[in-house]
Amino acid sequence: MSNDPHETTRHARARSRRSAWRGPWPIAVGAIAAVVLLAGWRLALGSEKPSRGVKVDPAPKRFIDVEGAVAPLYLHGRAPADGLLVAGDSRIGSDISIRVLERRGVGPVGTLWNGLAQIEHVLAGARTLAPRRLVVCLTPASVYSKPLPHMAVILEKERAMRLTQRIDERLDDDLDVWRQRTFWTIEPNPWGGGEAGVRIEPQRHEGIYRLIVSEPTRATRREHLDVVHATLRDMIGAGWQIACVRLPATARIEAIEDEGFPPELIRNMCTDLGVPYLDMTGGEYTTFDGSHLLGADAERASNLIADWLLTLPHMQAR
Amino acid sequence: MPPARVVRFDTVTFWLFFPLAWAVWRLLPLRAAKAGTLALSLVFYAWWRPEYVVLIWLSSYVDYRIAGFIHAAHDERVRQRWLTVSLAGNLGLLAFFKYTPLIATTLGFGGDATTGKPEWLAAWVVPVGISFYTFQTLSYTIDVHARRLKPAASYFDFFLFVSFFPQLVAGPIVRARELLPQLQFRRPLSWPRIQLGLYRCIEGLFLKIVVADGLAPQVENAFRASTVADISPTQAWIGAVCFGAQIFADFAGYSWIAIGLALLMGFNFPENFRYPYISRSLTEFWTRWHITLSRWLRDYLYVPLGGNRAGAGRTYVNLMVTMLLGGLWHGASWSFLAWGGLHGLALAVERAFGWTRVRAGMSDPLRGPVDFVMRALRVVIVYVVVHVAWVFFRASDFTLAVAVLERMFVAPFTTPLGLEIIAQTPQLLLLVPIVALHAGQAAHEWLGLKKSAPLRLAVCVVWLVLLVLVDRGAASPFLYFQF
């Protein structure tokens, strides 16, 4: 043993430091440090990340099984009894901001859609949910388009999913939504890549739309529109509060749609049903593929829809 | 049938499950704790497919009984016969589930582009973790036969050893003589153990969720059959490098979480990854990568084949056989066989030239700047060889692997390099944690720098914050679940 008192003190201090690191306080310090850093991040950046390409609109997602569906249907957001549903095809996913609509005071919002989900199946899905206010976004593709085999495969996979998988997905989804709504999160791989976070090609869907509304499908589409018409009448009779919207696209896509599916078809249906109709075509919107809006314009479009809904007494929560 | 999911460590479900499992093991009387932990481990596995719990029970029960027969028999021929039954049973089970699709396709029963796969083949499911638990139970019967281990006192304990949830589906491959004794008592928890356990879990989750899932798109871009001929050499290299990082982050991440969970419960699991990309030889690589598998192959395949005791030629053959079978263990395809074969060849070459001095994980101080340069050169060479082999591992077939390698090694002489893509790929920043971890380990082993507790705490806090802030890509299953 050394007789040097300084060495004894140094040893004692070193031992004390080592034993301190072996206690519980590093865990507590670490946890507190993490909380402080996260709180600082939130204070500095807030929680609402601006939309760069595709809109930023975190919302929980749930599969809705509908008999006879040709594509899987998903509810994004909430669907309580006093909520508002917005139903349609994939353009709902890009064009409708739940966050904007809720902030504008239309109530809790849920969007019900999938790519190439036929609107009559979407309406059937809506009828299984609690809300009784519905905005229907009609496009020629959502009224009728030829079912795609790969959508049927995805639908079967969803239907075959076990309960345990659904529990996992639901919990993980809820945590992710909470995380994205609480913090400005970092995306290592923005959807589609590119500077705006998405590949911008406004002419990308022109060929697809020409095909969708081509002559062979027009008669079938009219028949399906009749089904939609009857379904909406039935829903109104059951107490649903309904409004219709035609979502915007590029001028070229809108022209293709008008040629294959005259706009007065939807307008006349709405007049016959007595439901308000908002035609958003003819505006100046930017899309990333011709039919799906970029994030900033999605927020603009959602604000316009909110403005309009708030003027409609029969679309307010009862 | 859709691919089902086990309870994964990177899900909310698991982190609701774990506190319950921890409490059951730590707080109940030992007998009840074992029963409860066994039940929860089976729930963990059944979360994937309840019906396959029967398989793991059957596999463990048969081997438990066989080990009993081996131990009771005095005649060496009888003992050998029972061991053969165990080997045939375990390897037969593994082969049936893993290699039936490959055999069917090779023999012409796999359908074609016109007819598609037959329904039975399309619905074929390989039980999750089968490669791991069959190797575990095999090591048990082999060790009992070799008299290195007495049979477990009860089937109950043995079943718990096999099905213990932290290591059930993707390792580490824990041996009976490592875990069975630990199930007979509860090790007191200490704060350093809890700290280390939490640190391993957080680090593992960060590597899996942020790094591995974040790198996946870069890998997919390079390994897509429809576009591989059009990618630049740089993009091909990015794909290969990112895959090497992805598989490390994914697998080491999973192992570290498993080790961390075990620590928190009071168990010690063997280390499974020791920063493999600072290896200076392939021999050293296999003492740092999937350590529990490589020691299993060494102890139960390479050494029984003769190891390096039967002359140089036979040694090379033994190395090749061991690595080829190691490749096949990973999957039923020719590209896995090629991956194993490349490693076998490299190991044989190293042995032939005497380049096998191994210093895995131990202090190996630098002997000057020239030594540093030589080490760095060797690390780079081994890194390139390992990543060439990874291309075979990742590619869906042999043709794609060759195509990617062509883009990596031939195309630079005939097409523009495409270096500008590096600046356009900020996701490459996800490689920084991998590089930092390896550099830190190299500093520890080569420069003698001590691992600093405050630094580890700071790093852990950063991992935790990034876990919250970084969005997850499409969450992919742990890559090694498919094995």
Side-chain angles (χ1 to χ4, degrees):
Chain A
M1 173 125 28
S2 168
N3 290 325
D4 180 356
H6 294 296
E7 188 166 334
T8 308
T9 307
R10 272 201 301 275
H11 277 309
R13 280 203 197 121
R15 252 201 319 277
S16 168
R17 273 199 299 275
R18 278 197 296 274
S19 66
W21 278 104
R22 297 168 78 83
W25 75 262
I27 299 173
V29 165
I32 292 169
V35 169
V36 165
L37 283 172
L38 287 169
W41 179 275
R42 183 170 157 141
L43 271 171
L45 295 175
S47 61
E48 286 199 8
K49 194 159 66 170
S51 296
R52 197 161 54 121
V54 177
K55 68 174 167 69
V56 175
D57 193 24
K61 179 178 158 185
R62 205 167 96 217
F63 171 63
I64 307 290
D65 197 1
V66 175
E67 200 178 313
V70 298
L73 185 62
Y74 297 100
L75 169 72
H76 293 75
R78 303 183 284 165
D82 63 340
L84 173 82
L85 287 176
V86 183
D89 62 11
S90 61
R91 284 158 72 172
I92 301 293
S94 57
D95 299 1
I96 303 297
S97 170
I98 294 173
R99 188 172 64 177
V100 165
L101 289 177
E102 288 187 347
R103 197 188 312 135
R104 293 295 310 277
V106 302
V109 173
T111 58
L112 196 59
W113 63 272
N114 191 43
L116 297 179
Q118 309 288 262
I119 198 68
E120 65 210 60
H121 300 131
V122 180
L123 294 178
R127 297 181 88 162
T128 66
L129 300 171
R132 283 297 172 267
R133 293 185 296 147
L134 176 68
V135 174
V136 185
C137 298
L138 286 160
T139 67
S142 70
V143 172
Y144 173 74
S145 51
K146 217 166 150 206
L148 291 176
H150 78 270
M151 283 296 189
V153 169
I154 298 172
L155 178 59
E156 281 320 300
K157 283 184 181 173
E158 280 284 2
R159 284 179 167 155
M161 202 182 278
R162 295 173 181 236
L163 175 62
T164 52
Q165 283 176 278
R166 290 206 192 280
I167 293 171
D168 282 350
E169 290 211 347
R170 187 77 182 264
L171 289 174
D172 289 347
D173 193 41
D174 286 350
L175 176 64
D176 267 341
V177 168
W178 173 83
R179 218 171 38 78
Q180 289 167 345
R181 283 182 171 174
T182 308
F183 301 102
W184 185 320
T185 57
I186 304 164
E187 285 175 84
N189 288 289
W191 188 87
E195 209 176 280
V198 65
R199 214 169 67 235
I200 298 177
E201 296 171 49
Q203 69 285 3
R204 196 187 319 166
H205 276 184
E206 284 176 18
I208 294 170
Y209 270 77
R210 265 189 239 286
L211 203 61
I212 286 173
V213 301
S214 60
E215 181 56 46
T217 65
R218 287 179 194 175
T220 312
R221 188 165 292 108
R222 300 278 177 107
E223 288 165 18
H224 282 267
L225 184 62
D226 290 340
V227 172
V228 170
H229 193 150
T231 305
L232 288 174
R233 185 186 301 285
D234 195 47
M235 290 171 77
I236 291 168
W240 280 79
Q241 300 151 248
I242 293 179
C244 283
V245 170
R246 186 177 168 192
L247 291 172
T250 57
R252 288 167 70 104
I253 295 283
E254 288 171 1
I256 293 167
E257 287 186 326
D258 287 347
E259 188 199 323
F261 192 67
E264 52 271 18
L265 287 173
I266 298 178
R267 198 175 293 120
N268 292 345
M269 180 186 77
C270 292
T271 306
D272 183 63
L273 291 169
V275 304
Y277 173 58
L278 176 66
D279 186 343
M280 297 178 73
T281 59
E284 292 287 324
Y285 290 92
T286 45
T287 69
F288 53 85
D289 59 4
S291 57
H292 296 81
L293 300 184
L294 283 172
D297 276 352
E299 291 177 4
R300 184 159 66 91
S302 299
N303 269 304
L304 282 171
I305 293 172
D307 286 340
W308 175 66
L309 286 173
L310 290 168
T311 66
L312 302 174
H314 91 286
M315 287 302 291
Q316 307 314 307
R318 288 178 188 156
Chain B
M1 278 251 209
R5 284 164 44 159
V6 288
V7 178
R8 291 172 5 198
F9 292 162
D10 56 340
T11 60
V12 172
T13 315
F14 180 78
W15 293 98
L16 294 174
F17 164 88
F18 180 68
L20 172 65
W22 184 92
V24 162
W25 176 253
R26 296 300 315 181
L27 303 179
L28 294 181
L30 188 61
R31 237 178 115 78
K34 285 193 205 178
T37 303
L38 175 61
L40 287 173
S41 295
L42 296 177
V43 166
F44 175 88
Y45 194 79
W47 198 261
W48 169 65
R49 284 183 195 272
E51 58 271 28
Y52 282 102
V53 170
V54 172
L55 201 63
I56 197 173
W57 165 76
L58 194 65
S59 171
S60 65
Y61 185 73
V62 166
D63 275 327
Y64 172 77
R65 297 289 295 178
I66 286 176
F69 296 147
I70 291 173
H71 183 70
H74 299 294
D75 188 332
E76 192 51 44
R77 285 174 304 182
V78 172
R79 290 165 61 85
Q80 190 62 40
R81 257 182 243 137
W82 279 118
L83 179 64
T84 306
V85 170
S86 172
L87 283 167
N90 281 293
L91 296 177
L93 193 71
L94 192 58
F96 173 74
F97 280 104
K98 285 186 82 156
Y99 304 118
T100 298
L102 175 65
I103 294 168
T105 307
T106 307
L107 294 177
F109 297 111
D112 55 35
T114 317
T115 60
K117 275 188 192 167
E119 208 181 298
W120 69 270
L121 190 56
W124 193 264
V125 171
V126 178
V128 166
I130 191 169
S131 302
F132 291 91
Y133 68 71
T134 50
F135 268 33
Q136 247 186 315
T137 54
L138 254 183
S139 79
Y140 172 71
T141 49
I142 294 172
D143 280 350
V144 169
H145 176 265
R147 295 192 170 92
R148 284 192 288 257
L149 180 69
K150 283 206 175 59
S154 79
Y155 171 64
F156 190 65
D157 283 357
F158 182 69
F159 195 18
L160 177 56
F161 148 67
V162 174
S163 62
F164 189 42
F165 70 90
Q167 47 88 59
L168 173 57
V169 294
I173 304 174
V174 185
R175 298 192 185 176
R177 58 179 190 260
E178 288 169 328
L179 186 53
L180 276 174
Q182 296 188 67
L183 293 172
Q184 308 314 316
F185 70 102
R186 265 192 295 246
R187 181 179 280 109
L189 289 183
S190 61
W191 284 112
R193 169 178 284 274
I194 294 172
Q195 278 177 34
L196 186 59
L198 288 172
Y199 176 70
R200 299 311 289 271
C201 287
I202 291 169
E203 186 175 56
L205 284 169
F206 172 79
L207 287 179
K208 163 57 184 158
I209 293 173
V210 176
V211 177
D213 288 353
L215 287 172
Q218 307 313 315
V219 177
E220 277 150 28
N221 288 345
F223 285 85
R224 197 175 291 128
S226 55
T227 53
V228 65
D230 304 322
I231 62 172
S232 66
T234 304
Q235 199 168 355
W237 274 98
I238 286 176
V241 167
C242 285
F243 179 68
Q246 181 195 17
I247 195 168
F248 169 75
D250 195 284
F251 198 14
Y254 185 95
S255 288
W256 287 345
I257 298 171
I259 291 169
L261 295 171
L263 282 167
L264 290 171
M265 292 181 76
F267 295 96
N268 292 335
F269 277 4
E271 187 55 70
N272 213 16
F273 287 84
R274 203 176 275 128
Y275 309 97
Y277 295 136
I278 60 170
S279 300
R280 285 166 278 158
S281 67
L282 264 293
T283 310
E284 184 184 350
F285 178 82
W286 281 101
T287 65
R288 292 179 181 273
W289 178 275
H290 202 174
I291 298 167
T292 56
L293 174 68
S294 69
R295 71 175 187 174
W296 196 103
L297 291 173
R298 179 197 66 206
D299 293 345
Y300 299 116
L301 184 57
Y302 178 68
V303 167
L305 283 174
N308 58 5
R309 300 187 308 271
R314 184 58 193 265
T315 301
Y316 305 146
V317 168
N318 292 342
L319 283 168
M320 277 302 283
V321 167
T322 302
M323 293 315 297
L324 282 170
L325 290 176
L328 268 185
W329 176 89
H330 284 83
S333 89
W334 303 116
S335 52
F336 284 119
L337 205 60
W339 172 79
L342 274 171
H343 274 272
L345 182 64
L347 289 171
V349 166
E350 280 184 359
R351 185 160 278 279
F353 285 94
W355 295 338
T356 57
R357 195 173 68 98
V358 172
R359 303 289 298 187
M362 302 301 131
S363 172
D364 185 18
L366 280 173
R367 291 181 289 279
V370 172
D371 186 34
F372 174 75
V373 169
M374 294 308 297
R375 289 189 193 199
L377 196 59
R378 289 182 69 167
V379 166
V380 167
I381 292 170
V382 170
Y383 184 86
V384 170
V385 170
V386 164
H387 282 71
V388 165
W390 280 143
V391 169
F392 287 92
F393 195 94
R394 173 58 176 79
S396 54
D397 55 55
F398 203 81
T399 312
L400 180 58
V402 171
V404 172
L405 287 171
E406 187 274 332
R407 302 312 295 169
M408 287 169 69
F409 291 100
V410 178
F413 301 103
T414 56
T415 58
L417 290 177
L419 289 169
E420 65 278 2
I421 201 173
I422 296 175
Q424 296 164 7
T425 314
Q427 295 82 2
L428 292 177
L429 287 171
L430 291 169
L431 296 173
V432 169
I434 308 288
V435 172
L437 284 171
H438 282 79
Q441 184 66 14
H444 172 64
E445 291 182 19
W446 299 357
L447 301 175
L449 291 183
K450 286 198 178 4
K451 296 193 175 183
S452 151
L455 179 62
R456 188 174 75 189
L457 175 63
V459 166
C460 192
V461 168
V462 170
W463 291 163
L464 193 52
V465 167
L466 289 174
L467 262 175
V468 174
L469 294 179
V470 176
D471 279 332
R472 190 167 192 174
S476 53
F478 287 99
L479 291 170
Y480 264 67
F481 276 5
Q482 62 187 307
F483 310 131

